[in-house]
Amino acid sequence: MAPETQPACPYMRRLHEMLALRHLSAIPGLEDALLTRLVAFEAEARAAGAPAETLGAISNARFTAGVASLRPWFPMPRGH
């Protein structure tokens, strides 16, 4: 990212770095590991007094990672 487009909040920068690895979702367990990291990261950011927008972004990413970690359990459509 160019310096003028980088998020000002260090927590947003770290969130962007964590989410950059999402394209590796073919690796088993990566979504579960990301979810675990995001839960801890959200607690850290909340304790440090991160802005509400940042906490909202982390919460949304955590929710999305939680849903993605459930994906293997959903029935897969058959090609009948």
Side-chain angles (χ1 to χ4, degrees):
M1 266 187 200
E4 63 275 358
T5 62
Q6 287 184 350
C9 178
Y11 290 100
M12 285 300 287
R13 271 195 300 274
R14 286 179 51 197
L15 179 62
H16 285 219
E17 290 168 3
M18 281 187 213
L19 297 179
L21 297 175
R22 296 200 78 193
H23 70 280
L24 300 174
S25 61
I27 299 172
L30 184 65
E31 290 293 337
D32 292 332
L34 178 62
L35 177 60
T36 303
R37 286 184 64 199
L38 286 170
V39 168
F41 183 57
E42 184 177 17
E44 176 189 337
R46 190 174 306 279
E53 297 83 16
T54 300
L55 294 174
I58 296 169
S59 178
N60 286 338
R62 181 183 45 79
F63 176 77
T64 303
V67 170
S69 70
L70 295 175
R71 185 179 33 216
W73 299 104
F74 291 141
M76 299 299 291
R78 302 291 177 201
H80 304 300

